[in-house]
Amino acid sequence: MTEGFSYHAAFARNLGWVTQAEQDSLRGKRVAIAGMGGVGGVHLLTLARLGIGAFHIADFDTFDIANFNRQAGAMVSTLGQPKVAVLAQMAMDINPELGIKQFPDGIHDSNLAEFFAGVDLYVDGLDFFAFPARQATFATCARLGIPAITAAPLGMGTAVLSFMPGGMTFEEYFGWGDLPEEEKALRFLVGLAPAGLHGPYLVDPSAINLKERRGPSTIMGCQLCAGAAATEALKILLKRGKVMAAPHGVHFDAYRNKLVHTWRPGGNRHPLQRLAMAIIKRRRAAQGA
């Protein structure tokens, strides 16, 4: 229902930070988001409130009670319901004029072309351990020249990396290749947050288990991800403001009140990255992980 809805009235309070012409430009943009869970769901709702006019969203999962601590669409009323359908409805409640295309089977080789058709920007909302899908989406972005953002919820903060057309690619930065998934997980974690701001206040390290694909999370981290990623999205889509693309990254931790800009030429091939991964491997071996 669009009765009583006005795009210009709904997003008028954005004006001042953006011009009317820029707001109208955002209305004409299409953003793809894979994953509608902890970060992906709040990415969608944040970008919808920014006034983005169209989305492609993908997720094959349904809501479970274990999602309640962090996922925007997880409520008693949505238990067992498809994440992609729930979040699409929530976004349409913000802007009933949205053009929103759902991919309820998630991302796979047979729908990548359709998922990225006509897209201006990709925002990564996949689960940390969704290695094949993440590798495929970023490789497609690099091939098609689509800017891509990933924002990781780390403790009570976020680490943000952007990959721009013609710049360093996801694969060049993380160096995943055909490595085992446990090695990919380690490289992803270290590559996302070279500063490691979140580590000192982890009260129970056993909560992180890469083999069992589990780790702790907070709603604060997810919401900080959305704010940071949406700001990067605004700069990229409006071609306004400096985008510090990979190998540059930013890590902000609200718990420690710290902001760090990282620069890792060569990505995970950088000596500091290799040292960090070696230290983590030794610690895990000592712990019998």
Side-chain angles (χ1 to χ4, degrees):
M1 295 290 292
T2 60
E3 185 177 349
F5 177 81
S6 161
Y7 178 91
H8 288 108
F11 304 109
R13 291 297 182 93
N14 291 340
L15 302 181
W17 300 114
V18 299
T19 68
Q20 184 64 65
E22 287 175 327
Q23 187 66 63
D24 293 341
S25 177
L26 292 173
R27 189 180 189 180
K29 300 299 183 182
R30 183 179 302 271
V31 174
I33 309 171
M36 286 288 108
V39 291
V42 72
H43 282 329
L44 173 63
L45 301 183
T46 302
L47 291 168
R49 293 193 187 280
L50 184 60
I52 301 296
F55 295 94
H56 290 178
I57 60 173
D59 201 308
F60 60 81
D61 203 4
T62 57
F63 282 112
D64 181 80
I65 197 165
N67 304 143
F68 277 33
N69 79 311
R70 68 199 183 283
Q71 298 195 13
M75 295 166 277
V76 171
S77 61
T78 63
L79 280 172
Q81 294 185 29
K83 293 181 180 181
V84 72
V86 169
L87 267 299
Q89 183 57 54
M90 292 175 73
M92 292 290 290
D93 278 349
I94 295 168
N95 178 1
E97 296 176 353
L98 276 181
I100 190 161
K101 188 168 188 176
Q102 301 178 41
F103 292 77
D105 297 324
I107 291 298
H108 42 79
D109 289 343
S110 61
N111 69 6
L112 275 172
E114 184 182 4
F115 181 69
F116 284 111
V119 164
D120 299 292
L121 173 71
Y122 172 62
V123 181
D124 178 23
L126 291 167
D127 181 85
F128 181 90
F129 297 100
F131 303 117
R134 179 167 281 113
Q135 209 159 359
T137 51
F138 278 95
T140 303
C141 287
R143 180 171 56 82
L144 297 178
I146 297 172
I149 302 168
T150 188
L154 299 170
M156 301 174 213
T158 181
V160 183
L161 284 170
S162 298
F163 297 90
M164 299 296 289
M168 191 175 204
T169 68
F170 181 95
E171 179 58 37
E172 288 169 344
Y173 184 88
F174 287 102
W176 275 4
D178 296 322
L179 292 171
E181 291 197 346
E182 191 172 349
E183 179 69 18
K184 288 181 180 178
L186 175 62
R187 286 174 174 249
F188 194 42
L189 182 61
V190 173
L192 282 168
L197 296 180
H198 54 297
Y201 60 88
L202 178 66
V203 295
D204 182 7
S206 69
I208 299 176
N209 191 310
L210 300 183
K211 287 183 180 179
E212 296 179 6
R213 295 189 166 199
R214 61 177 171 83
S217 59
T218 70
I219 183 59
M220 298 87 83
C222 293
Q223 291 183 331
L224 286 166
C225 281
T231 304
E232 285 291 280
L234 180 147
K235 291 193 292 183
I236 292 170
L237 293 172
L238 296 179
K239 296 180 172 59
R240 195 189 89 182
K242 183 178 180 180
V243 176
M244 297 192 348
H248 295 271
V250 174
H251 189 171
F252 171 67
D253 191 279
Y255 186 85
R256 298 184 64 194
N257 299 314
K258 287 190 175 184
L259 172 67
V260 175
H261 161 225
T262 57
W263 180 53
R264 293 295 186 269
N268 279 336
R269 297 190 305 276
H270 191 281
L272 289 176
Q273 297 298 91
R274 295 168 66 180
L275 176 62
M277 288 186 284
I279 291 171
I280 291 174
K281 286 179 180 179
R282 284 201 297 269
R283 286 176 180 170
R284 294 180 63 225
Q287 295 167 356

